[in-house]
Amino acid sequence: MTEKDYGKLVDEMSPRSPMWRNCLNAFWIGGLICVLGQLAICGYTALGLDKEAAGTAASISLVALSALLTGLSLYDNIAKHAGAGTLVPITGFANSIAAPAVEFKTEGFILGVGAKIFQIAGPVIVYGVSASVVYGIIYWITTLF
């Protein structure tokens, strides 16, 4: 069997990916998460918070809800159907922090949860902090002149 024949056989035997269905699920579930965030902003505004504080409170609520759903092993079930729709909003970031902690809780609080909580999100946080320091220094230097 030649390499070309083998490639053709693999293409024939491989299951087809339901790309359009996956895109639609990612779109509507990601949109639903965003609608939930907007409803939270409206709710916090109705409680008397200004727009900026309501946005912050809504973000905190979505992160807490995402971490709770991750701890209850429900977020993964949603992500199976939504794909990238659950990864793009802030809830995906919260899930990426909470999931390793939940996975390694059997190894103890310090060596399991404490060591693994930033396994995925840690590099993102380090990059964000480092980039903000560099940008801050550049901004400071440019404002001197």
Side-chain angles (χ1 to χ4, degrees), residues 50-77:
D50 63 21
K51 190 174 181 178
E52 186 176 331
T56 302
S59 294
I60 291 169
S61 298
L62 286 174
V63 167
L65 180 62
S66 174
L68 177 66
L69 290 175
T70 300
L72 296 173
S73 298
L74 298 174
Y75 198 90
D76 289 340
N77 294 336

Side-chain angles (χ1 to χ4, degrees), residues 33-118:
I33 292 170
C34 294
V35 166
L36 182 63
Q38 186 61 49
L39 288 173
I41 290 172
C42 293
Y44 286 123
T45 304
L47 291 174
L49 294 178
D50 63 21
K51 190 174 181 178
E52 186 176 331
T56 302
S59 294
I60 291 169
S61 298
L62 286 174
V63 167
L65 180 62
S66 174
L68 177 66
L69 290 175
T70 300
L72 296 173
S73 298
L74 298 174
Y75 198 90
D76 289 340
N77 294 336
I78 297 168
K80 284 178 189 174
H81 299 290
T86 57
L87 298 177
V88 177
I90 194 171
T91 55
F93 184 72
N95 176 267
S96 71
I97 292 175
V102 171
E103 184 178 342
F104 291 97
K105 70 181 176 187
T106 57
E107 294 180 23
F109 188 72
I110 302 295
L111 296 176
V113 175
K116 300 295 183 180
I117 195 165
F118 294 113

Side-chain angles (χ1 to χ4, degrees), residues 7-17:
K8 185 178 177 183
L9 181 64
V10 168
D11 286 341
E12 290 173 3
M13 301 298 285
S14 298
R16 300 286 178 230
S17 174

